[in-house]
Amino acid sequence: MKITKGKIFKVILLLLVGFLAYQFIYGRLIMFSPIVVGFEKQKAENSIVYYHENNTRVDNKTLDSLILKTEQFHKLEFNQKVRIFFCNTDKEFKRYTGSSARMVTIFGNSIFVSGTATEERKTNKISFDTYLLHELSHLLIYQNMTFGKAMNYPQWFLEGVAVFSSNQFGKDGYLTVQGVSKEIKKGNFVQPKDWGTAFSSKGKTVKDCKVLYKYRFIYAEFGSIIKDLIDTYGQEIFLNLLHQSLKSNDFYTVFKKNYGIEFSEYITEFERRIKATNNVYKK
């Protein structure tokens, strides 16, 4: 039997179609699929929640209040319904997201909750609403920028805003503001730019950080920087930075325009003030 180029092309095409169909139904593209298989669906005015039968449903009023709280802090609005997927297992969660975190936001579209976080929510083991507020911050910012800008947006700023806006300090192993200050005084400081962008590798100070549960420290440090910017310069300038940076190709040019100094100068001064005094943060 002669195998022609046409037959090879058809086989490749069928394999590609099969692969994409699998990804849309059971894999990484499920958030873009018009049909979601294997989940119950809870629809509300501002959200769609996908969950398995054995999972506790989310109270729509609570979810609406968290969505509103997120919009009020950022002074932005969601331009699509908030979609949340509650996974039964961490294996299912990783199949959809590729992540090992408790929760993750997929650019501008959906929030996924791991099997671990789903169980911890049932037993009140974690501050679930705080975690959800953190992810809602990411989702809201992503919905107000293009995909191209998201790929180059500084991740330290995204995480810092999420930690600060959700008041994640001191919860579920995240350091308090005072705890961050103590670690910095010991010489533990991660340069924000070393956190990189969506697809860049982490820099030296991230890799060299020796703090126990270092990612919770790093996120809390970034949240502390956002707190300091607001405490020192005011909410209005912070919001100007946030809003203008969503439309700019250069976050750090926007930073200098609003704060009057280079970001590198600000962060050096921030670290110096913490090491020099016990009262860095306003009450």
Side-chain angles (χ1 to χ4, degrees):
M1 179 180 175
K2 186 177 180 180
I3 300 176
T4 65
K5 289 182 179 180
K7 288 181 179 179
I8 293 174
F9 175 77
K10 287 180 181 178
V11 170
I12 292 173
L13 184 60
L14 284 172
L15 288 172
L16 179 61
V17 169
F19 173 78
L20 289 174
Y22 176 85
Q23 291 299 321
F24 270 106
I25 298 172
Y26 298 110
R28 303 284 184 89
L29 299 178
I30 188 173
M31 71 287 298
F32 302 114
S33 175
I35 301 171
V36 176
V37 177
F39 287 87
E40 302 293 322
K41 183 163 69 173
Q42 175 183 320
K43 295 183 71 173
E45 183 179 355
N46 300 310
S47 62
I48 304 174
V49 176
Y50 297 94
Y51 65 98
H52 295 290
E53 286 186 354
N54 58 328
N55 289 337
T56 307
R57 295 180 65 175
V58 177
D59 178 66
N60 284 334
K61 288 184 178 179
T62 299
L63 184 52
D64 281 345
S65 71
L66 295 177
I67 291 170
L68 179 61
K69 185 175 181 179
T70 303
E71 290 181 327
Q72 287 176 337
F73 174 83
H74 296 73
K75 297 295 186 290
L76 295 168
E77 293 183 356
F78 287 98
N79 52 48
Q80 300 175 37
K81 281 193 174 186
V82 170
R83 286 160 43 106
I84 305 174
F85 288 80
F86 283 87
C87 297
N88 254 350
T89 66
D90 289 346
K91 184 178 179 181
E92 179 187 39
F93 175 78
K94 191 159 190 176
R95 188 176 78 238
Y96 290 136
T97 67
S99 172
S100 300
R102 273 193 172 100
M103 298 172 67
V104 70
T105 298
I106 305 299
F107 171 77
N109 188 288
S110 302
I111 295 169
F112 285 81
V113 182
S114 68
T116 295
T118 297
E119 289 302 313
E120 289 174 333
R121 172 176 171 259
K122 291 178 185 178
T123 58
N124 293 316
K125 187 176 179 179
I126 60 171
S127 305
F128 183 80
D129 287 359
T130 302
Y131 271 96
L132 190 52
L133 278 169
H134 181 117
E135 298 303 326
L136 284 168
S137 172
H138 291 334
L139 188 64
L140 178 59
I141 290 175
Y142 281 143
Q143 284 194 9
N144 282 274
M145 69 167 70
T146 65
F147 180 78
K149 286 186 174 59
M151 294 304 96
N152 294 305
Y153 203 74
Q155 292 292 296
W156 77 264
F157 188 74
L158 277 174
E159 296 300 345
V161 172
V163 169
F164 181 78
S165 64
S166 63
N167 192 26
Q168 206 162 11
F169 299 112
K171 297 174 183 175
D172 303 314
Y174 286 82
L175 275 68
T176 62
V177 174
Q178 293 75 21
V180 170
S181 181
K182 287 179 182 179
E183 289 297 335
I184 293 174
K185 286 174 181 292
K186 294 177 185 177
N188 296 307
F189 186 71
V190 170
Q191 290 294 332
K193 286 186 177 182
D194 278 356
W195 196 247
T197 57
F199 292 115
S200 68
S201 59
K202 304 303 181 191
K204 186 177 187 300
T205 58
V206 176
K207 295 173 182 177
D208 291 347
C209 180
K210 304 300 183 186
V211 179
L212 187 64
Y213 305 119
K214 75 175 185 179
Y215 290 108
R216 295 176 189 176
F217 159 69
I218 292 170
Y219 278 31
E221 180 198 305
F222 297 160
S224 296
I225 293 170
I226 300 301
K227 183 181 189 304
D228 184 70
L229 285 171
I230 292 173
D231 285 350
T232 305
Y233 298 94
Q235 181 89 358
E236 183 178 352
I237 296 178
F238 162 75
L239 289 172
N240 287 341
L241 170 64
L242 172 60
H243 296 165
Q244 292 170 21
S245 67
L246 299 180
K247 298 176 174 60
S248 171
N249 292 322
D250 190 339
F251 175 89
Y252 296 104
T253 296
V254 176
F255 184 93
K256 184 177 180 180
K257 175 185 173 183
N258 281 280
Y259 290 97
I261 57 172
E262 298 283 354
F263 179 73
S264 57
E265 294 178 64
Y266 161 74
I267 208 66
T268 298
E269 174 61 14
F270 170 79
E271 184 182 5
R272 185 200 65 77
R273 281 188 286 117
I274 290 182
K275 290 179 175 179
T277 178
N278 293 322
N279 265 326
V280 174
Y281 301 103
K282 296 179 181 178
K283 299 295 184 182

